[in-house]
Amino acid sequence: MTLSSAQQPGLFIAFEGGDGAGKSTQAALLTQAMSDAGRTVLRTREPGGTPVGEKLRSLVLEHGQGEIDAKTEALIFAAARAAHATQVIAPAVARGEIVISDRYADSSIAYQGAGRGLGTEAIVKLNDWATSGLWPDLTVLLDVSPAEGRERRTAGDAAEDRMESEPDDFHATIRAAFLELAQANPQRYLVLPADGAVSELAQVIRDRINALLGTA
Ligand code: TYD
């Protein structure tokens, strides 16, 4: 007997990592695998995922908006996340769906908390409030070095956004912050080297999710 989506537990999975880590590729492969297994999957991304979130995304990522200081930046990401968590993620998980988000609150902890120097504690508190305490069941961290990340994202010729165009030492700080989060909470993270073969990484990720779902 197969259970319908509504009878199965929902799951919230976030993909995190530096710019150019290949999160979108792996999020897409996992989405396909879970859909093929008969699950209802909602794939989404941050900043964004709602109409207001997509507007905030343009505000915070495009060049030429005038100065955006660190606290303003943190609040814009948190505002987009509040809408995303309340309007999209929490309802989908409650319906028994698998939500796969390209980035979530750990990006704010790493980029705004560590990268911009606002501190982990302030960003955790802000985001815990903004999301009413909604944190992922599992975070897949694709670990990439600043040099490799830069090489990967400049290989396609898309222009770098406000965050991507920060120097390598900013990206090194982000990387260390992500790894620290994962080390502090190993059961909620799957850390993988971003330079692994795409299909092998996808397999490891699938195995971990199936174990979580009890379908391994
Ligand atoms: P995006 O184009 O989605 O990059 P990627 O494909 O690498 O995920 O841009 C998101 C950028 O915004 C990325 O540089 C990380 C940054 N960011 C933050 O600084 N804080 C946040 O809370 C989030 C969600 C993203």
Side-chain angles (χ1 to χ4, degrees), residues 19 23 57 61 77 81 103 107-108 111-112 161 163:
D19 296 279
K23 296 179 300 300
R57 176 186 178 88
L61 292 183
F77 281 116
R81 183 163 302 121
R103 298 193 181 279
S107 280
S108 282
Y111 283 78
Q112 283 66 55
D161 64 34
M163 309 302 295

Side-chain angles (χ1 to χ4, degrees), residues 58-60 62-69 72-73 76 162:
S58 311
L59 254 187
V60 78
E62 285 173 9
H63 294 277
Q65 311 282 2
E67 187 194 348
I68 299 181
D69 61 87
T72 303
E73 184 180 282
I76 295 174
R162 263 186 71 244

